[in-house]
Amino acid sequence: MVQSIEPNIADLANGWLKSYKLPYKLEQESVNAEIDKALSDYYSKNGGVGGNRVDAKLLLQDKNQNWYPILIEYKGYKDSLVKLDANHQVENRTAKSEPHLKNINSFAVNGAVHYANALLHHTSYTDIIAIGMTGYKDERGNIQHQIGVYYVSKNNLGAGQKVDDYSDFSFLKKENFDAFIEKVKTLSLPQEELDRLKEQKERDIDSSLRKLNHDIYENEKGLGENDRVYLVAASIIATLGIPGKVPVLDKSDLKSQTFIGGRDGDILISRIKAFLEEKKLPPEKKDLIIRTLSNTLLTENINKVDEKGESQLYRVFTKIVDDLGIYYKIGLTTDFTGKLFNEMYGWLGFSQDKLNDVVLTPAYVASLLVKLARVNKDSFVWDFATGSAGLLVAAMNEMLIDAKNTITSPDELAQKEIKIKAEQLLGLELLSSVYMLAILNMILMGDGSSNILNKDSMLDFDGNYGFGAVDSKFPADAFVLNPPYSANGNGMNFVERALGMMHKGYASIIIQNSAGSGKAKDYCKRILEKHTLIASIKMPIDIFIGKSSVQTNIYVFRVNEKHQPDEMVKFIDFSNDGYTRTNRKKATNNLKDTDQAKERYEEVINLVRFGKSKLNIFTEREYYEGTIDPKNGADWNQTAPVDSKPTLDDFKKTISDYLAWEVSSILKNQNTDGLGK
């Protein structure tokens, strides 16, 4: 058995750090109050993950005045540096997406990366260096050591990336640290790996949301339906923080006091005000958010202190931050509050019909709609039934990706990103509880909340910006929509109104397919008098499994160009989109790619844009080009015609089958005759 020499390793490493004259501190000493407190709370809650703790901490600053926490963990055994998974990533999660405690405890890098994620979760730091060091004594009694240096950031979703190979810690010396950080900043995971990590994190979100849902529902009584939504929104906003300006609200900041101004609700509202002020939200929007959240946060019952000395607000805040904090802190580009709402919609007092109206669009369908509407960095995108803003989040992501791929000037790119978020997105949502989720979603995605409006898009909206340039028309050239199906024409009234306010561009909507086969006949005819139907895509029946079971189609339009009788419409049967869906409550993944799903979605986009030449996975039975009668309005859901005329091959097969049967009968009779003799 190899004997642990951890004290020797620690002495060696700490000797280096002292010789570099770094402001380093060991576990028992203070580095930074925020870091110390976050780790201390984490140890207390999780028992130091089996007794395992960070061995040394530093807080170093680069030439740009940015601070970087450095976490170091020692293991005094051979082959205990790092454990990677099949994708060559630090293996800190099990197949069930739970912490891999054995690896975290046994491997130095895994432990350091684990605690770096705790800092991502509980502090305002977004870039952390995790270092693992191991060693053993060789046959001559000399210490042989290994070092693993990993970068943990919200940009790599907390996965950790190896920086380089190092034989000591001299890369931390003042004269070397800037060059080290420059190297760190060049690290980037391949898009494929980021997508894989994102999918895994999104599955983890689903699990955590279910846990939170159950916990609050079972244990926190007296909260109204909307109150629960507002509590989640308030807790998340208060814990976002702005480095150097607005500190992250920690649960220890809530004192469960009873005097006005010192209650937990007062503290939350104060921190939210500071955050929104620093984000420079328009005063009207800021006042609306504060007023809405105050109605819940400042009530007497939620601030009342129980026999344990805790308010209900303190308990709920703690649950939300502990269960969800890591996901919104690492900057996931996902419809986070869409997922949140799909878990919480059961809390809201809607009738069954209204539940169908507020079912949110899955992220991969939202992305499809955005691409079918040809959204790019210069698009101006609006949505007349925003929900949790999932479609606008998808549009913003597409616009930002296009900007990064096409703009080479860092300064120009930064300005473009600001403009996209502040000026190129507009959404309308009537339901106040859902509207608050839309606001939260866009704040989480990067402040694109300025023009999310709590208005009736059919009655109260005049086409102008809601904030900022309120006297100017929003120059929409891309429209995306998943309307409430109980609205007039299954929601085609929204389509007619939105397209009628646009001068150019494209639109894509997902809607109950009866809208295109007669239910919205008059709307469809009026729409085609001014706009062109490009494509009709039949979607899988189970796309909203567990929430709704209506058959939907996606319709794609070219705006402000009258539909001509000879216009060829692309009809696509997308019933098999490559995904298998289940609705099992305890499943870790209810959506599985079982038949080239990603490739199928890409092909649909290309077929709509370029036509039959892009057929690859699909066949001509699933893709058909034909015309519609613009004056009909009920012929939008066509399928490829079936040719019933027999071919020569059909004739040959029939004759072949008949002859085979005839010969078989003759032989059978001969055998029977032989037996009778």
Side-chain angles (χ1 to χ4, degrees), residues 28 215 247 395 513 596 656 677:
Q28 293 77 15
D215 196 3
N513 80 333
Q596 297 179 282
S656 174
K677 289 182 180 179

Side-chain angles (χ1 to χ4, degrees), residues 258-270:
T258 56
F259 65 90
I260 301 297
R263 297 171 302 173
D264 290 340
D266 297 320
I267 294 169
L268 246 77
I269 286 293
S270 176

Side-chain angles (χ1 to χ4, degrees), residues 159-329:
Q161 292 171 265
K162 184 177 179 179
V163 181
D164 208 340
D165 292 316
Y166 297 94
S167 59
D168 58 26
F169 291 169
S170 59
F171 59 89
L172 298 175
K173 294 174 69 174
K174 185 175 182 180
E175 58 267 33
N176 299 330
F177 190 64
D178 287 335
F180 170 76
I181 291 300
E182 289 297 322
K183 180 177 290 187
V184 164
K185 290 299 185 182
T186 64
L187 297 176
S188 61
L189 288 173
Q191 189 60 46
E192 182 179 345
E193 181 61 22
L194 276 175
D195 290 343
R196 187 190 69 78
L197 289 170
K198 179 173 174 285
E199 289 176 4
Q200 179 60 54
K201 293 292 184 184
E202 290 186 353
R203 289 195 292 272
D204 293 348
I205 288 175
D206 289 334
S207 176
S208 294
L209 287 173
R210 286 193 293 270
K211 178 178 179 294
L212 176 67
N213 184 341
H214 177 78
D215 196 3
I216 294 181
Y217 180 79
E218 289 292 326
N219 300 314
E220 299 299 337
K221 307 303 180 184
L223 294 175
E225 295 150 347
N226 289 347
D227 289 336
R228 300 171 190 170
V229 175
Y230 298 147
L231 280 169
V232 173
S235 298
I236 291 174
I237 293 174
T239 53
L240 288 175
I242 301 174
K245 296 180 179 178
V246 181
V248 170
L249 185 69
D250 187 81
K251 55 192 173 187
S252 64
D253 296 323
L254 302 182
K255 308 297 185 183
S256 294
Q257 301 170 119
T258 56
F259 65 90
I260 301 297
R263 297 171 302 173
D264 290 340
D266 297 320
I267 294 169
L268 246 77
I269 286 293
S270 176
R271 192 63 54 91
I272 293 169
K273 283 181 178 177
F275 176 85
L276 298 178
E277 188 71 37
E278 194 61 43
K279 285 295 185 181
K280 296 180 170 51
L281 260 68
E284 310 97 303
K285 175 61 62 64
K286 184 184 69 174
D287 292 344
L288 176 61
I289 295 172
I290 294 299
R291 186 167 62 251
T292 303
L293 295 180
S294 294
N295 289 335
T296 293
L297 296 177
L298 300 183
T299 57
E300 181 179 350
N301 283 342
I302 203 171
N303 286 285
K304 187 166 58 177
V305 178
D306 63 13
E307 62 278 3
K308 294 181 180 179
E310 296 177 349
S311 69
Q312 185 180 46
L313 180 53
Y314 172 84
R315 292 195 305 273
V316 174
F317 176 84
T318 298
K319 290 170 186 174
I320 292 168
V321 174
D322 286 347
D323 287 351
L324 302 181
I326 185 60
Y327 305 116
Y328 58 81
K329 287 296 190 67

Side-chain angles (χ1 to χ4, degrees), residues 540 574-581 591-601 617-618:
F574 200 27
S575 300
N576 176 17
D577 69 345
Y579 284 118
T580 298
R581 301 169 185 83
L591 181 73
K592 294 184 178 179
D593 185 341
T594 54
D595 190 10
Q596 297 179 282
K598 292 178 181 177
E599 291 81 0
R600 286 174 179 270
Y601 274 78
I617 301 173
F618 294 99

